[in-house]
């Protein structure tokens, strides 16, 4: 957290000051909700059983049976409604607190995240986007913008019942390019894909280079930049990443189901480790910015 302008001690102080009481209240509400659900469940099903017992003793009258069934169904429905809580409330509250701490701007809804710059990665045409957790700010002096979610494409004229084609399930990011130059993209390597490489076997087994001006792109992908791209590719465990260089920006699309996770949403939420884990996940922006800066220096 030192790159973010704070230490672990500062993070703990932040948690105690802005989150501990709120999370404790959420846990208390959840406990009260569980207790109330059990009371409603026991009372409703008990009453339904009593009505059913009365119907069993009665003859030629199906109305009590129907009433018992409806009462039981209504009880289960009420319990289910009572159990509904926004699953992301705690995670989003933590993100808001962390964003302020790091000097970022956080928006729960990522609908306004611009996709046009991601044309080089084939994502600009995604007309069915479900993005959230948008973060904007500066890291290592580089402006960035990111959002998480699903990007899909629904063909024009397709019926409403048609399933859109998912293009990305993960995280999209934009960074200012410290050394803007060529326009090209790096896609996850596929053995069957025929494309020119960089001559670096390690790099070429991870990425496939595609560029209109191959020579310019290869010059830009000097050893320092290749090392940085390989490091970026390994930042999120199990993820694949596509990287585009275009008009002074570096565009990244991570395909991953792991995004800003605080663990199971069930109580207790008052665990500092959840907050600490989320903070470590967010610091990926500092890691990427630092790698881009290092590559620009040719280190």
């Amino acid at each position: 957290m030192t790159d973010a302008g704070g230490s672990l001690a500062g993070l703990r102080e932040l948690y105690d000051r802005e989150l501990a009481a709120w999370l404790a209240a959420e846990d208390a509400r959840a406990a009260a909700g569980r207790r109330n659900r059990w009371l409603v469940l026991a009372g409703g099903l008990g009453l339904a059983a009593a009505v059913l017992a009365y119907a069993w003793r009665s003859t030629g009258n199906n109305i009590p049976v129907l009433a018992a069934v409806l009462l039981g169904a209504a009880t289960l429905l009420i319990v289910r409604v009572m159990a509904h809580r926004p699953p992301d409330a705690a995670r989003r509250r933590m993100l808001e607190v962390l964003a302020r701490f790091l000097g970022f701007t956080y928006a729960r809804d990522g609908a306004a995240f611009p996709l046009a710059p991601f044309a080089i990665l084939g994502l600009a045409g995604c007309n069915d986007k479900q993005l959230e957790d948008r973060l904007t700010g500066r890291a290592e002096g580089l402006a960035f913008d990111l959002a998480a979610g699903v990007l899909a494409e629904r063909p024009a004229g397709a019926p409403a019942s048609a399933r859109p084609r998912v293009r990305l399930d993960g995280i999209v990011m934009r960074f200012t390019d410290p050394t803007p130059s060529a326009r090209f993209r790096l896609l996850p390597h596929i053995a069957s894909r025929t494309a020119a490489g960089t001559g670096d076997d390690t790099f070429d087994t991870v990425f496939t280079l595609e560029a209109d001006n191959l020579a310019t792109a290869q010059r830009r992908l000097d050893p320092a930049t290749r090392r940085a791209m390989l490091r970026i590719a390994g930042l999120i465990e199990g993820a694949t990443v596509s990287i585009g260089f275009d008009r002074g920006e570096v565009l990244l699309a991570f395909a991953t189901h792991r995004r800003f996770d605080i663990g199971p949403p069930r109580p207790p939420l008052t665990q500092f480790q959840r907050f600490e884990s989320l903070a470590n996940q967010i610091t990926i922006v500092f890691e990427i910015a630092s790698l881009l800066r290092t590559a620009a220096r040719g280190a």
Side-chain angles (χ1 to χ4, degrees), residues 110-118 124 129 131 134 145 172 174 249 251:
F113 185 86
L115 289 182
F118 289 83
K129 63 178 181 178
L131 295 177
R134 185 179 182 185
D145 190 355
V172 281
R174 302 166 61 197
E249 289 189 317
L251 298 309

Side-chain angles (χ1 to χ4, degrees), residues 44-45 47-74:
L45 293 183
L47 183 58
V51 173
L52 191 60
Y54 169 78
W56 187 266
R57 292 192 300 269
S58 302
T59 57
N61 188 355
N62 292 327
I63 294 179
V65 176
L66 179 60
V69 171
L70 291 176
L71 182 58

Side-chain angles (χ1 to χ4, degrees), residues 171-251:
I171 304 173
V172 281
M173 303 182 182
R174 302 166 61 197
F175 282 84
T176 301
D177 188 351
T179 53
S181 55
R183 185 176 190 270
F184 60 92
R185 63 184 179 184
L186 302 171
L187 302 179
H189 177 73
I190 298 177
S192 60
R193 182 185 289 148
T194 302
T198 63
D200 181 335
D201 291 342
T202 301
F203 184 85
D204 292 339
T205 57
V206 176
F207 290 112
T208 294
L209 168 62
E210 294 186 356
D212 293 332
N213 190 324
L214 188 61
T216 302
Q218 288 173 331
R219 283 195 299 271
R220 171 62 196 275
L221 287 170
D222 57 21
T225 302
R226 295 199 301 271
R227 285 195 299 270
M229 297 303 103
L230 289 173
R231 289 280 303 279
I232 289 173
L235 286 177
I236 300 180
E237 183 180 356
T240 59
V241 61
S242 300
I243 305 174
F245 290 75
D246 188 18
R247 301 183 182 91
E249 289 189 317
V250 180
L251 298 309

Side-chain angles (χ1 to χ4, degrees), residues 48-119:
V51 173
L52 191 60
Y54 169 78
W56 187 266
R57 292 192 300 269
S58 302
T59 57
N61 188 355
N62 292 327
I63 294 179
V65 176
L66 179 60
V69 171
L70 291 176
L71 182 58
T75 298
L76 295 176
L77 179 61
I78 291 171
V79 169
R80 182 172 181 178
V81 171
M82 291 175 67
H84 177 72
R85 296 174 63 247
D88 287 341
R91 183 181 62 83
R92 287 175 170 174
R93 179 62 180 264
M94 291 183 188
L95 280 170
E96 289 173 351
V97 170
L98 278 171
R100 287 197 302 270
F101 177 65
L102 298 172
F104 300 160
T105 299
Y106 172 71
R108 296 183 178 187
D109 188 354
F113 185 86
L115 289 182
F118 289 83

Side-chain angles (χ1 to χ4, degrees), residues 120-159:
I120 193 169
L121 297 181
L123 298 176
C126 293
N127 50 14
D128 186 348
K129 63 178 181 178
Q130 302 170 36
L131 295 177
E132 60 182 0
D133 297 334
R134 185 179 182 185
L135 286 168
T136 56
R138 301 187 73 85
E140 299 288 335
L142 300 181
F144 76 88
D145 190 355
L146 71 84
V150 178
L151 296 175
E153 189 172 0
R154 189 184 298 275

